[in-house]
Structure formats: C-alpha cells, structure tokens
Amino acid sequence: QTKMEYEWKPDQQGLQQILQLLKESQSPDTTIQRTVQQKLEQLNQYPDFNNYLIFVLTKLKSEDEPTRSLSGLILKNNVKAHFQNFPNGVTDFIKSECLNNIGDASPLIRATVGILITTIASKGELQNWPDLLPKLCSLLDSEDYNTCEGAFGALQKICEDSAEILDSDVLDRPLNIMIPKFLQFFKHSSPKIRSHAVACVNQFIISRTQALMLHIDSFIENLFALAGDEEPEVRKNVCRALVMLLEVRMDRLLPHMHNIVEYMLQRTQDQDENVALEACEFWLTLAEQPICKDVLVRHLPKLIPVLVNGMKYSDLDIILLKGDVEEDETIPDSEQDIRPRFHRSRTVAQQHDEDGIEEEDDDDDEIDDDDTISDWNLRKCSAAALDVLANVYRDELLPHILPLLKELLFHHEWVVKESGILVLGAIAEGCMQGMIPYLPELIPHLIQCLSDKKALVRSITCWTLSRYAHWVVSQPPDTYLKPLMTELLKRILDSNKRVQEAACSAFATLEEEACTELVPYLAYILDTLVFAFSKYQHKNLLILYDAIGTLADSVGHHLNKPEYIQMLMPPLIQKWNMLKDEDKDLFPLLECLSSVATALQSGFLPYCEPVYQRCVNLVQKTLAQAMLNNAQPDQYEAPDKDFMIVALDLLSGLAEGLGGNIEQLVARSNILTLMYQCMQDKMPEVRQSSFALLGDLTKACFQHVKPCIADFMPILGTNLNPEFISVCNNATWAIGEISIQMGIEMQPYIPMVLHQLVEIINRPNTPKTLLENTAITIGRLGYVCPQEVAPMLQQFIRPWCTSLRNIRDNEEKDSAFRGICTMISVNPSGVIQDFIFFCDAVASWINPKDDLRDMFCKILHGFKNQVGDENWRRFSDQFPLPLKERLAAFYGV
C-alpha cells in the first residue's frame, strides 16, 4: 500500500459508540467519568480506535465543537502514552489529517489540531516527520487567514515544546530558515498572527540561539515597531521579549535604553493587567544588572510613583480576597488553600560575635501577604521591584518615596492607606538607615493601624511591622517592643483568618529578633498562643506551630518552668495523638516539638518516650516502604521521605535537649541500625539529617554509638563532598564530635577523612559555615591524633586561622585551638610562614581557659625567642594596631 491509498472508513456502529462515550465524559458526575475512563482504556486495545478519534476531530463537521475537540484531546493523551505502538498506517493517517485540517474554520479545532501536532512532534517525531516544519512554514504564506493562523499556532507550540532540538544539528538547523520567516510576520495585518510571530521568536532568546543572534538587530528593530500595537497580547509579548533581552543582550539594548525605559514606564501602567505585569518584570530584571543604578537614576521621579500606584489592590483582587468579609474564623479552610510546606533540614552552624546578622536565612520575609490570589500579580511584582530598587539605591530612594508615603499612610480610603503600609514594608530592608529618623513617629502609627476596622489593613500592617522588628528590638523595650507585642498578640486572636496568619508570621519574626527580651512576657505570650490552638482552622494551625517553635528557639531554657510546660505541652501532645502517621501535618508539629524539646531539656522528660518511639517508627516505616518500592516499583509506590527526615530531626532535638537522659531510649531501640541505612540513602536531605543525629547521639550517649564506628566512618568519609554543602557540613561536624569521644582510638580512621577536609578548607567559595566546621574538625582530629595530622599543618594553617577568628568562644572552638597548639608543638615549622595569621586567631579569644592561654603564651614567646627581638619587632610592625595592643596586653609579646 502506498500512502495515498490508505483510505480508512469508520464503521457506523463503532462511531456511534465513541460519540456516546464523548458525550458521557462531559457529564459532571464523577462515577460516570470513571466508567468512561475504563471504557477508553479498553478501546485502546483496538488498532484503529485512534482513527475514529481523528475522524471525529477533523471530518465529523456535523458534531458540536466541544465534542470534536475532546476527541482530539483524548487522542493526544493516547499519543503521549502509546504512540510507539500505533500501527504505521494509523500514524500516517493521523499526520496527514492534522496537516490537512490545521486551517479548520473553528479556532477551537485549529488549536486542538495544533496541540496534537506538537505532541506527536515532541515524541521524537520531528526527526521522523521531515515534511512537518517545511509544510507548516509554507502554510504561513496561505491567503486563507484560518490556515495561516492555525499553522502559526502549531508552530508556536512546537517552538515552546521542542526549542532545544530545533536548535541542534539533528534537524539540519531549521531555525536558520524559520526565524527570518517569523520576523517577516511582525508586520502582518492580523494582531493574532503578529502575536504568534513574536511568541515564536521569544522561545529562542534565553538560550542565545545562534540563528536569532544573527538577526538580533532586525529582531529588536521589529520589536520597537510593535511598541504601540493595539493588541494587548502583542504588547505583552514585546514586553516579555525586552525583559529577556535585558538578561541576554544588554549590549544591544544599551544604545536605546532611555527609550526602552520610557516605553516600559508606559506599559507598566497599561490598561491590560497582563501587559502591565509583564512590563513590571522589567524593573525586577534591570535591578539585578550592574548598570541599573546609572541607567535608572534619571527616571526615578517617574518610576517610583508608577510602582507605588501598582501596589494598590485592584477591585478584582478585593473581590477574590473577600476583602469585605471581616469575620471568617469559624469557616473551615478548603484543602487546596493549604500550600505544601518545605521542611528545612537541620544544619549544624557556629555562633558568631556579630550575633543576629544571619545572611543565609533571610528568605522568610518575602512579600507574601495575600497568597490565595493568583499567586503573582501586579501588586506583588511592583512591591518586589520597589524592594530590589531600595536595595540598589538605598537611602537615595527616599526623596522620591517620602512625599508619597506621607500622603498614602494617612489617607482616608483604606485601599490607598493599605498600599502605603505595603510600600513602607517593601523599602524596609534597603532604606533602613534613612528611615530611622522617621520610625519613632511611624511605628506608633503602625501599631494603631493594627486595630484598623479593615482586615486587609490589619494583615499588611503585621507584615510591615515585622520588617522593622530589628529596629524595634534595638530600642528600650517599654517604648515600642511592649506595645507592639501586646497588639500583635491580639491580632493572633483576630476574628479574620488572614490577619491571624499575618500576625503569627510577624510574631515569629519578632521572636527571632527579640530572643530573650521576650522572657518577661512569656506567660502572656503562651496564654495567647495556647488559646489560638482552640480557635484556629487548619491552615493557620500550621503557622501557629512555627510561631511556637520559633519562641522555643528564641528563649531557650527560659521556657523550662513547670507552669509554662503545663500550659504548652498538653495541647501539643493532644494534636500529636490525633494525627495519623500518614498525615503531612506531622511535619510542622514535629519541627515545633523538636525546638520545644531542645529548649525544655529535662523538662521534656515526661513526654519523651512516646515521641521518641513514634519517630523511630516513622523512620522504620519509610525505609521499609522504600525497600519495597525499589524491589517492585510497579507494585509499591515510593514513600514520602520527608516523614523520615523530619523524624530524624526531631530525634536530634531530643538528643540535644535530653542529653544523657536519652540513653535508655536508644538502648531499647534499633535506631543505630536504621541510621546506618539512612546514612546511605540516595536522597541528600536524608543523609544530612542522619549525620546531624549521629553527632547529637555521639554527644549524648557515645557508649551506644561506639560499636558502630567502624561501619560509620567509611560512609562519613565518602560524604565529605562539598557538592552537597549541607550533607558535607553535617558529616564534617559529626566526625569532629566522634573524634573527641574516641581519643587516640581515632587513629585508624584519620586517612579516611583528612585529605578531603584539607581540600575543602582550601577550596575557593566554600560557604562560611562549612569552612568553620571543617576547621573545627581538623583541629579536633589534631587534638586527639597530633602525630597523624600535624605533618599537614602547612597545608591548612592559613585558612584554618582565618575561618575561626570570627566565631564565639565556645567548647568547639576551645578543643579546636587545643588541637592546633598541640600540632604546632609537634611540627613548629608548619606554622612559620603563616605565623601572623595564627597571632590574629589567638587574639580573637575574649577569655580562653587558663591552660589554653598558657599554650598560646608558650607558642608566642617560643617564636619570639627563636627569631630574636630585632626580627620580632620587624615582624610585629606589620600587625594592625588593635592586634598589636591585644597581644601585648594578654600575652606580653
């Protein structure tokens, strides 16, 4: 049979049966839908079932469009699932029918055919369908609008789905022809076709596709020609193109930058919100470019008001947010409102002198005040743009903002006032210094706004106040902290769910900043948080756990008072008993309990046994499920390993809080066997948490860990791979803890780990936390086995000294420095070249223990005596003055 003769005819009875199915599948009844699914699966057994589907889509014009389109979509799913099993004749019939009907009179049918074509193409069929692209490209020149539009629609989908293969040698580089062709259509008379043309080319900007780069000037010129297009979809695609070009070909935009900025200013105010949103992305992208500051400075007087204006809720937002509903606390949450949470696994880190400035952890206070609306909108994008620009210009932004703020913050319309409060929060990070003079007036005003009659004003005020928490805490507590806390606690018990949520999150931020400043108010705080338990619906309960966990982290052992424990533990344990092992709500509850256990220490003893047991069970269940899934993936589904990770982290919290008291629990369980499996898990987060637990159990009850060390050490050695930063960090820390317990018996294991540690400490761009832990562990290994480690002193002494000079005096720093001193006495020549770094590190101690101070003294004087006074003076003249004074005062050198 040649292709031309393949003339397939449907059997009338079969056709009726399929039409009946298509009708039924449009029924809202789920039971009927399920039966339809089963019948469709059965029909897939017949080789020509797919012929019927394409026939209904392209030939059966008597049927209504939704039914024909549905037939095409079912065929698309079959292509996705079973294409390789289609008989040749069927495949060819489908392909030719698609190309013959791409110009159907109905936009819905054209679009469906286009979807079908791109699905076949992305099944590896671009190679096996050589006439597809040439045919579609030639159809673009058709006089018939429907044919041109249909072909363009299909091409746009293919460009989206198969961009990579289009730009490879596999197909003989079709883009060299396609891109110039697309550019011709930028000037087409139909807006729909202009829009397709820009969208097609846009797919190739970010990948810097050669074929586009050759025509980049003509592309940009054509974009400019479309700047004033009356079709919103075209303007949106033009804005999107310019935003991407900003990242990829800044060099080509620079000469036109003034005009582009002016244009984007207009578009950010476009009547069509989708266009405005695309344009607003421009400011976010530009702010990340080094040239931003110079390019935008002259446009700020125009830009800032535009962004600020975009931060108002639209009328539609208010309807979607039920902005007129003030009390909804009794209405249960719909499950799809609850976002999946991500558990942040334990990482062991050192505390620093300049406490409170954490760079890793500032991702919690994103502008995230109304997360039930379509997530990204003009308001959020404008606020995010203002936030990044505030970080670029710092206080230079304030002259443009302050006059606007005065007007907004005291405005009588709540929507305007609300946007002013959002503006104030958005600039908090970048303009903090310049805002300080105004805060004594603004903070009390904001605290008043916490009791505004509009829920949306109350909720945004919570967020904005949290952005200034750092300053509030730096002032005398009675001035702002106390009134702020009092009002925020009332908002935690607000009758509006969005306000409860915002208040809980803001309170967690305040807790992190205030730490022990909160201790005098603990009873009052716990009262509120515990009362919220009985009040909250599902979604906010999860945020409440977080606020309680953060409180425990912030006040630490101050929480360990019988009356506080009596308030806090019963509701937590009640929830704990209610939740099933499969319930994802366990995650935030386990995280919360982990913080509480660490803070309460011995106060947690009465609750520890059932909590410990359940964690071990969760780990065991997950591992068992994973083994079944590995053995028979089609029979058993993969477990959600987050359960195991969170359980391991809570066990760490218990070990840290209970210390030696956990010994009997460990003795009566198989946790070490389970950990041996977890440490070898494919998933990095599982390994990360198991190494944290290993370190904590090593500190708490080493007698149970010791028999396993010979099995554990090789695994720890292979995980010293800085590609997985947190895994590597926790493995490093655990090795250090183990060495302190093992003493001289650590000797046989040194070769498994030392070379990797020395390599890591010398790597450029290693994160600070990992550097510090690596240095401490090297020091500890040298402390217990100086003969083995000291010979390598010269290879690590310099980065060792610079990474430990900034951490606080503590046990870990103490043992590490004892190690370095011991190694210097074994191999003094290893430190000679970098002695100034050693001096600097010694000077970083505020008050070392006496015997450690003696060790420092001995080494400093030994060096001075060896080189002689004259040389020492020359040497110490290179010291910065504070270092010189410090060494003289403390060590007499």
Side-chain angles (χ1 to χ4, degrees), residues 197-206 219 223 237-238 240-241 244:
V198 183
C200 282
V201 181
N202 279 358
Q203 293 306 317
F204 304 102
I205 299 177
I206 289 295
F219 174 45
L223 280 177
N237 285 332
V238 170
R240 183 170 291 172
M244 291 189 283

Side-chain angles (χ1 to χ4, degrees), residues 111-145:
T112 310
V113 172
I115 289 174
L116 191 49
I117 289 176
T118 186
T119 309
I120 295 172
S122 53
K123 278 307 234 186
E125 287 297 304
L126 269 176
Q127 298 91 303
N128 308 340
W129 194 355
D131 52 344
L132 173 64
L133 293 172
K135 178 83 172 134
L136 287 175
C137 284
S138 69
L139 290 176
L140 294 182
D141 298 322
S142 159
E143 292 296 301
D144 173 47
Y145 168 79

Side-chain angles (χ1 to χ4, degrees), residues 243-289:
V243 171
M244 291 189 283
L245 286 167
L246 204 51
E247 286 184 46
V248 176
R249 290 308 303 262
M250 177 65 93
D251 57 320
R252 281 295 186 266
L253 296 187
L254 263 180
H256 316 283
M257 210 47 163
H258 179 75
N259 293 339
I260 294 174
V261 170
E262 292 279 319
Y263 173 65
M264 283 300 192
L265 266 170
Q266 279 177 296
R267 286 290 72 80
T268 308
Q269 303 169 75
D270 201 285
Q271 289 309 293
D272 184 299
E273 163 141 6
N274 292 321
V275 179
L277 179 56
E278 250 347 295
C280 196
E281 295 280 353
F282 181 82
W283 315 113
L284 265 180
T285 306
L286 184 57
E288 284 161 14
Q289 306 291 332

Side-chain angles (χ1 to χ4, degrees), residues 295-365:
V295 167
L296 271 189
V297 73
R298 53 198 278 213
H299 299 280
L300 289 179
K302 278 192 187 156
L303 172 59
I304 298 304
V306 169
L307 291 177
V308 166
N309 198 36
M311 288 162 74
K312 285 208 295 275
Y313 278 125
S314 67
D315 298 343
L316 179 63
D317 288 342
I318 294 171
I319 294 166
L320 289 173
L321 278 172
K322 308 195 171 58
D324 50 351
V325 177
E326 293 298 324
E327 294 192 17
D328 60 358
E329 62 174 341
T330 53
I331 304 165
D333 297 327
S334 71
E335 285 309 305
Q336 66 264 29
D337 283 349
I338 297 174
R339 286 211 185 145
R341 290 178 74 267
F342 298 105
H343 169 69
R344 215 191 263 146
S345 307
R346 268 175 104 92
T347 334
V348 185
Q350 292 301 317
Q351 295 199 298
H352 296 81
D353 291 336
E354 69 280 34
D355 201 19
I357 301 169
E358 297 175 34
E359 53 261 33
E360 280 86 40
D361 225 24
D362 57 356
D363 51 343
D364 300 345
D365 57 352

